[in-house]
Each structure stands twice: as structure tokens, then as C-alpha cells.
PDB file of all heavy atoms in Angstrom:
ATOM      1  N   PRO A   1      77.982 122.286  64.748  1.00 91.00           N
ATOM      2  CA  PRO A   1      79.373 121.837  64.922  1.00 91.00           C
ATOM      3  C   PRO A   1      79.497 120.373  65.340  1.00 91.00           C
ATOM      4  O   PRO A   1      80.528 119.752  65.098  1.00 91.00           O
ATOM      5  CB  PRO A   1      79.906 122.764  66.014  1.00 91.00           C
ATOM      6  CG  PRO A   1      79.010 123.954  65.984  1.00 91.00           C
ATOM      7  CD  PRO A   1      77.661 123.431  65.599  1.00 91.00           C
ATOM      8  N   SER A   2      78.443 119.821  65.965  1.00 88.00           N
ATOM      9  CA  SER A   2      78.508 118.442  66.446  1.00 88.00           C
ATOM     10  C   SER A   2      78.236 117.415  65.357  1.00 88.00           C
ATOM     11  O   SER A   2      78.434 116.210  65.584  1.00 88.00           O
ATOM     12  CB  SER A   2      77.506 118.239  67.588  1.00 88.00           C
ATOM     13  OG  SER A   2      76.172 118.429  67.125  1.00 88.00           O
ATOM     14  N   ALA A   3      77.798 117.854  64.181  1.00 90.00           N
ATOM     15  CA  ALA A   3      77.507 116.916  63.093  1.00 90.00           C
ATOM     16  C   ALA A   3      78.784 116.176  62.696  1.00 90.00           C
ATOM     17  O   ALA A   3      79.867 116.761  62.634  1.00 90.00           O
ATOM     18  CB  ALA A   3      76.928 117.660  61.894  1.00 90.00           C
ATOM     19  N   HIS A   4      78.657 114.886  62.413  1.00 87.00           N
ATOM     20  CA  HIS A   4      79.833 114.061  62.142  1.00 87.00           C
ATOM     21  C   HIS A   4      80.584 114.507  60.890  1.00 87.00           C
ATOM     22  O   HIS A   4      81.785 114.265  60.750  1.00 87.00           O
ATOM     23  CB  HIS A   4      79.418 112.597  62.003  1.00 87.00           C
ATOM     24  CG  HIS A   4      78.721 112.291  60.711  1.00 87.00           C
ATOM     25  ND1 HIS A   4      77.380 112.563  60.501  1.00 87.00           N
ATOM     26  CD2 HIS A   4      79.184 111.767  59.548  1.00 87.00           C
ATOM     27  CE1 HIS A   4      77.046 112.206  59.262  1.00 87.00           C
ATOM     28  NE2 HIS A   4      78.111 111.725  58.671  1.00 87.00           N
ATOM     29  N   ASP A   5      79.860 115.172  59.971  1.00 88.00           N
ATOM     30  CA  ASP A   5      80.489 115.596  58.719  1.00 88.00           C
ATOM     31  C   ASP A   5      80.736 117.097  58.670  1.00 88.00           C
ATOM     32  O   ASP A   5      80.979 117.661  57.600  1.00 88.00           O
ATOM     33  CB  ASP A   5      79.627 115.177  57.528  1.00 88.00           C
ATOM     34  CG  ASP A   5      78.216 115.764  57.595  1.00 88.00           C
ATOM     35  OD1 ASP A   5      77.820 116.254  58.679  1.00 88.00           O
ATOM     36  OD2 ASP A   5      77.511 115.732  56.571  1.00 88.00           O
ATOM     37  N   ALA A   6      80.677 117.758  59.816  1.00 92.00           N
ATOM     38  CA  ALA A   6      80.907 119.207  59.857  1.00 92.00           C
ATOM     39  C   ALA A   6      82.402 119.484  59.801  1.00 92.00           C
ATOM     40  O   ALA A   6      83.135 119.203  60.760  1.00 92.00           O
ATOM     41  CB  ALA A   6      80.291 119.799  61.124  1.00 92.00           C
ATOM     42  N   PHE A   7      82.866 120.026  58.697  1.00 94.00           N
ATOM     43  CA  PHE A   7      84.297 120.240  58.491  1.00 94.00           C
ATOM     44  C   PHE A   7      84.477 121.342  57.456  1.00 94.00           C
ATOM     45  O   PHE A   7      84.012 121.228  56.319  1.00 94.00           O
ATOM     46  CB  PHE A   7      84.952 118.954  57.996  1.00 94.00           C
ATOM     47  CG  PHE A   7      86.446 118.902  58.199  1.00 94.00           C
ATOM     48  CD1 PHE A   7      86.980 118.495  59.412  1.00 94.00           C
ATOM     49  CD2 PHE A   7      87.313 119.249  57.180  1.00 94.00           C
ATOM     50  CE1 PHE A   7      88.355 118.427  59.610  1.00 94.00           C
ATOM     51  CE2 PHE A   7      88.684 119.183  57.362  1.00 94.00           C
ATOM     52  CZ  PHE A   7      89.205 118.780  58.580  1.00 94.00           C
ATOM     53  N   ALA A   8      85.130 122.438  57.837  1.00 93.00           N
ATOM     54  CA  ALA A   8      85.321 123.583  56.944  1.00 93.00           C
ATOM     55  C   ALA A   8      86.721 123.568  56.350  1.00 93.00           C
ATOM     56  O   ALA A   8      87.662 123.076  56.974  1.00 93.00           O
ATOM     57  CB  ALA A   8      85.079 124.891  57.689  1.00 93.00           C
ATOM     58  N   GLN A   9      86.860 124.134  55.143  1.00 92.00           N
ATOM     59  CA  GLN A   9      88.155 124.088  54.459  1.00 92.00           C
ATOM     60  C   GLN A   9      88.548 125.415  53.829  1.00 92.00           C
ATOM     61  O   GLN A   9      89.389 125.438  52.930  1.00 92.00           O
ATOM     62  CB  GLN A   9      88.121 123.023  53.355  1.00 92.00           C
ATOM     63  CG  GLN A   9      87.832 121.620  53.839  1.00 92.00           C
ATOM     64  CD  GLN A   9      87.939 120.599  52.731  1.00 92.00           C
ATOM     65  OE1 GLN A   9      89.023 120.318  52.229  1.00 92.00           O
ATOM     66  NE2 GLN A   9      86.809 120.033  52.341  1.00 92.00           N
ATOM     67  N   VAL A  10      87.965 126.517  54.285  1.00 91.00           N
ATOM     68  CA  VAL A  10      88.260 127.783  53.634  1.00 91.00           C
ATOM     69  C   VAL A  10      88.887 128.764  54.616  1.00 91.00           C
ATOM     70  O   VAL A  10      88.349 129.028  55.682  1.00 91.00           O
ATOM     71  CB  VAL A  10      86.981 128.388  52.991  1.00 91.00           C
ATOM     72  CG1 VAL A  10      85.890 128.595  54.033  1.00 91.00           C
ATOM     73  CG2 VAL A  10      87.297 129.678  52.248  1.00 91.00           C
ATOM     74  N   SER A  11      90.063 129.254  54.274  1.00 92.00           N
ATOM     75  CA  SER A  11      90.755 130.330  54.984  1.00 92.00           C
ATOM     76  C   SER A  11      91.657 131.015  53.972  1.00 92.00           C
ATOM     77  O   SER A  11      92.224 130.343  53.098  1.00 92.00           O
ATOM     78  CB  SER A  11      91.578 129.801  56.158  1.00 92.00           C
ATOM     79  OG  SER A  11      90.759 129.312  57.200  1.00 92.00           O
ATOM     80  N   ALA A  12      91.807 132.314  54.103  1.00 90.00           N
ATOM     81  CA  ALA A  12      92.532 133.048  53.066  1.00 90.00           C
ATOM     82  C   ALA A  12      93.914 133.533  53.493  1.00 90.00           C
ATOM     83  O   ALA A  12      94.877 133.408  52.740  1.00 90.00           O
ATOM     84  CB  ALA A  12      91.695 134.245  52.589  1.00 90.00           C
ATOM     85  N   PHE A  13      94.035 134.090  54.683  1.00 93.00           N
ATOM     86  CA  PHE A  13      95.305 134.697  55.085  1.00 93.00           C
ATOM     87  C   PHE A  13      96.068 133.747  56.009  1.00 93.00           C
ATOM     88  O   PHE A  13      95.603 133.417  57.091  1.00 93.00           O
ATOM     89  CB  PHE A  13      95.056 136.021  55.816  1.00 93.00           C
ATOM     90  CG  PHE A  13      96.314 136.766  56.150  1.00 93.00           C
ATOM     91  CD1 PHE A  13      96.847 137.678  55.261  1.00 93.00           C
ATOM     92  CD2 PHE A  13      96.976 136.546  57.351  1.00 93.00           C
ATOM     93  CE1 PHE A  13      98.016 138.368  55.572  1.00 93.00           C
ATOM     94  CE2 PHE A  13      98.140 137.220  57.664  1.00 93.00           C
ATOM     95  CZ  PHE A  13      98.656 138.138  56.767  1.00 93.00           C
ATOM     96  N   ALA A  14      97.251 133.290  55.591  1.00 92.00           N
ATOM     97  CA  ALA A  14      97.986 133.602  54.365  1.00 92.00           C
ATOM     98  C   ALA A  14      97.694 132.539  53.302  1.00 92.00           C
ATOM     99  O   ALA A  14      97.124 131.491  53.603  1.00 92.00           O
ATOM    100  CB  ALA A  14      99.481 133.622  54.662  1.00 92.00           C
ATOM    101  N   SER A  15      98.117 132.812  52.073  1.00 95.00           N
ATOM    102  CA  SER A  15      97.932 131.845  51.003  1.00 95.00           C
ATOM    103  C   SER A  15      98.956 130.723  51.130  1.00 95.00           C
ATOM    104  O   SER A  15     100.147 130.930  50.918  1.00 95.00           O
ATOM    105  CB  SER A  15      98.099 132.519  49.639  1.00 95.00           C
ATOM    106  OG  SER A  15      98.156 131.538  48.615  1.00 95.00           O
ATOM    107  N   LEU A  16      98.473 129.523  51.449  1.00 95.00           N
ATOM    108  CA  LEU A  16      99.399 128.408  51.546  1.00 95.00           C
ATOM    109  C   LEU A  16      99.638 127.746  50.198  1.00 95.00           C
ATOM    110  O   LEU A  16     100.581 126.970  50.056  1.00 95.00           O
ATOM    111  CB  LEU A  16      98.906 127.397  52.574  1.00 95.00           C
ATOM    112  CG  LEU A  16      98.989 127.883  54.019  1.00 95.00           C
ATOM    113  CD1 LEU A  16      98.917 126.731  54.999  1.00 95.00           C
ATOM    114  CD2 LEU A  16     100.260 128.684  54.281  1.00 95.00           C
ATOM    115  N   HIS A  17      98.808 128.052  49.197  1.00 95.00           N
ATOM    116  CA  HIS A  17      99.195 127.679  47.834  1.00 95.00           C
ATOM    117  C   HIS A  17     100.525 128.350  47.507  1.00 95.00           C
ATOM    118  O   HIS A  17     101.447 127.725  46.974  1.00 95.00           O
ATOM    119  CB  HIS A  17      98.131 128.121  46.832  1.00 95.00           C
ATOM    120  CG  HIS A  17      97.173 127.038  46.444  1.00 95.00           C
ATOM    121  ND1 HIS A  17      96.283 126.499  47.323  1.00 95.00           N
ATOM    122  CD2 HIS A  17      96.972 126.391  45.259  1.00 95.00           C
ATOM    123  CE1 HIS A  17      95.566 125.570  46.717  1.00 95.00           C
ATOM    124  NE2 HIS A  17      95.979 125.475  45.467  1.00 95.00           N
ATOM    125  N   VAL A  18     100.614 129.618  47.850  1.00 97.00           N
ATOM    126  CA  VAL A  18     101.848 130.363  47.593  1.00 97.00           C
ATOM    127  C   VAL A  18     102.938 129.947  48.574  1.00 97.00           C
ATOM    128  O   VAL A  18     104.096 129.753  48.192  1.00 97.00           O
ATOM    129  CB  VAL A  18     101.588 131.879  47.674  1.00 97.00           C
ATOM    130  CG1 VAL A  18     102.898 132.666  47.626  1.00 97.00           C
ATOM    131  CG2 VAL A  18     100.661 132.322  46.542  1.00 97.00           C
ATOM    132  N   GLY A  19     102.582 129.782  49.853  1.00 96.00           N
ATOM    133  CA  GLY A  19     103.572 129.430  50.855  1.00 96.00           C
ATOM    134  C   GLY A  19     104.244 128.097  50.584  1.00 96.00           C
ATOM    135  O   GLY A  19     105.473 127.985  50.623  1.00 96.00           O
ATOM    136  N   VAL A  20     103.444 127.079  50.292  1.00 97.00           N
ATOM    137  CA  VAL A  20     104.008 125.755  50.048  1.00 97.00           C
ATOM    138  C   VAL A  20     104.791 125.729  48.737  1.00 97.00           C
ATOM    139  O   VAL A  20     105.858 125.100  48.643  1.00 97.00           O
ATOM    140  CB  VAL A  20     102.894 124.686  50.044  1.00 97.00           C
ATOM    141  CG1 VAL A  20     103.457 123.317  49.676  1.00 97.00           C
ATOM    142  CG2 VAL A  20     102.220 124.624  51.404  1.00 97.00           C
ATOM    143  N   THR A  21     104.278 126.409  47.713  1.00 97.00           N
ATOM    144  CA  THR A  21     105.011 126.462  46.439  1.00 97.00           C
ATOM    145  C   THR A  21     106.342 127.178  46.619  1.00 97.00           C
ATOM    146  O   THR A  21     107.357 126.798  46.011  1.00 97.00           O
ATOM    147  CB  THR A  21     104.172 127.149  45.353  1.00 97.00           C
ATOM    148  OG1 THR A  21     102.898 126.513  45.258  1.00 97.00           O
ATOM    149  CG2 THR A  21     104.864 127.074  44.000  1.00 97.00           C
ATOM    150  N   THR A  22     106.368 128.195  47.463  1.00 97.00           N
ATOM    151  CA  THR A  22     107.628 128.870  47.779  1.00 97.00           C
ATOM    152  C   THR A  22     108.615 127.899  48.413  1.00 97.00           C
ATOM    153  O   THR A  22     109.807 127.886  48.082  1.00 97.00           O
ATOM    154  CB  THR A  22     107.379 130.058  48.729  1.00 97.00           C
ATOM    155  OG1 THR A  22     106.515 131.000  48.109  1.00 97.00           O
ATOM    156  CG2 THR A  22     108.691 130.752  49.098  1.00 97.00           C
ATOM    157  N   VAL A  23     108.131 127.054  49.327  1.00 96.00           N
ATOM    158  CA  VAL A  23     108.985 126.034  49.940  1.00 96.00           C
ATOM    159  C   VAL A  23     109.557 125.113  48.869  1.00 96.00           C
ATOM    160  O   VAL A  23     110.760 124.800  48.865  1.00 96.00           O
ATOM    161  CB  VAL A  23     108.199 125.217  50.984  1.00 96.00           C
ATOM    162  CG1 VAL A  23     108.994 123.974  51.409  1.00 96.00           C
ATOM    163  CG2 VAL A  23     107.889 126.076  52.196  1.00 96.00           C
ATOM    164  N   ILE A  24     108.722 124.682  47.933  1.00 96.00           N
ATOM    165  CA  ILE A  24     109.176 123.761  46.889  1.00 96.00           C
ATOM    166  C   ILE A  24     110.244 124.420  46.014  1.00 96.00           C
ATOM    167  O   ILE A  24     111.259 123.804  45.670  1.00 96.00           O
ATOM    168  CB  ILE A  24     107.981 123.287  46.036  1.00 96.00           C
ATOM    169  CG1 ILE A  24     107.025 122.457  46.900  1.00 96.00           C
ATOM    170  CG2 ILE A  24     108.453 122.464  44.841  1.00 96.00           C
ATOM    171  CD1 ILE A  24     105.735 122.075  46.204  1.00 96.00           C
ATOM    172  N   VAL A  25     110.037 125.691  45.662  1.00 96.00           N
ATOM    173  CA  VAL A  25     111.025 126.409  44.849  1.00 96.00           C
ATOM    174  C   VAL A  25     112.354 126.523  45.595  1.00 96.00           C
ATOM    175  O   VAL A  25     113.427 126.231  45.041  1.00 96.00           O
ATOM    176  CB  VAL A  25     110.504 127.816  44.484  1.00 96.00           C
ATOM    177  CG1 VAL A  25     111.613 128.648  43.822  1.00 96.00           C
ATOM    178  CG2 VAL A  25     109.307 127.721  43.542  1.00 96.00           C
ATOM    179  N   LEU A  26     112.293 126.938  46.846  1.00 95.00           N
ATOM    180  CA  LEU A  26     113.528 127.113  47.620  1.00 95.00           C
ATOM    181  C   LEU A  26     114.216 125.786  47.896  1.00 95.00           C
ATOM    182  O   LEU A  26     115.445 125.718  47.950  1.00 95.00           O
ATOM    183  CB  LEU A  26     113.211 127.832  48.933  1.00 95.00           C
ATOM    184  CG  LEU A  26     112.726 129.281  48.788  1.00 95.00           C
ATOM    185  CD1 LEU A  26     112.395 129.876  50.148  1.00 95.00           C
ATOM    186  CD2 LEU A  26     113.764 130.141  48.073  1.00 95.00           C
ATOM    187  N   MET A  27     113.439 124.725  48.053  1.00 94.00           N
ATOM    188  CA  MET A  27     114.036 123.408  48.245  1.00 94.00           C
ATOM    189  C   MET A  27     114.742 122.938  46.966  1.00 94.00           C
ATOM    190  O   MET A  27     115.810 122.318  47.023  1.00 94.00           O
ATOM    191  CB  MET A  27     112.978 122.393  48.658  1.00 94.00           C
ATOM    192  CG  MET A  27     112.597 122.443  50.119  1.00 94.00           C
ATOM    193  SD  MET A  27     113.915 121.808  51.220  1.00 94.00           S
ATOM    194  CE  MET A  27     114.737 123.327  51.687  1.00 94.00           C
ATOM    195  N   ALA A  28     114.157 123.225  45.810  1.00 92.00           N
ATOM    196  CA  ALA A  28     114.827 122.871  44.554  1.00 92.00           C
ATOM    197  C   ALA A  28     116.168 123.591  44.455  1.00 92.00           C
ATOM    198  O   ALA A  28     117.177 123.006  44.029  1.00 92.00           O
ATOM    199  CB  ALA A  28     113.939 123.226  43.365  1.00 92.00           C
ATOM    200  N   ALA A  29     116.191 124.857  44.873  1.00 91.00           N
ATOM    201  CA  ALA A  29     117.458 125.597  44.878  1.00 91.00           C
ATOM    202  C   ALA A  29     118.417 125.011  45.911  1.00 91.00           C
ATOM    203  O   ALA A  29     119.622 124.891  45.658  1.00 91.00           O
ATOM    204  CB  ALA A  29     117.195 127.071  45.175  1.00 91.00           C
TER     205      ALA A  29
END
């Protein structure tokens, strides 16, 4: 964890691809 380049980018619940796209759709409306 102390490594300068230690950085994770994977999590599943909830899907923010879906969450953020939902925001964009509702904002368009």
C-alpha cells in the first residue's frame, strides 16, 4: 500500500456507469 503507484480502480456495487448515465438522461429531461 505504501508504493507510490499503488492505486486500485475496480469496484462493482453500484454501477456508476449506469448511475452517471442515469443522471445525464434525467438532466436532459
Side-chain angles (χ1 to χ4, degrees):
S2 63
H4 74 280
D5 58 345
F7 200 84
Q9 300 185 69
V10 58
S11 291
F13 185 90
S15 170
L16 290 198
H17 262 67
V18 171
V20 175
T21 306
T22 299
V23 168
I24 295 173
V25 171
L26 294 178
M27 280 289 96

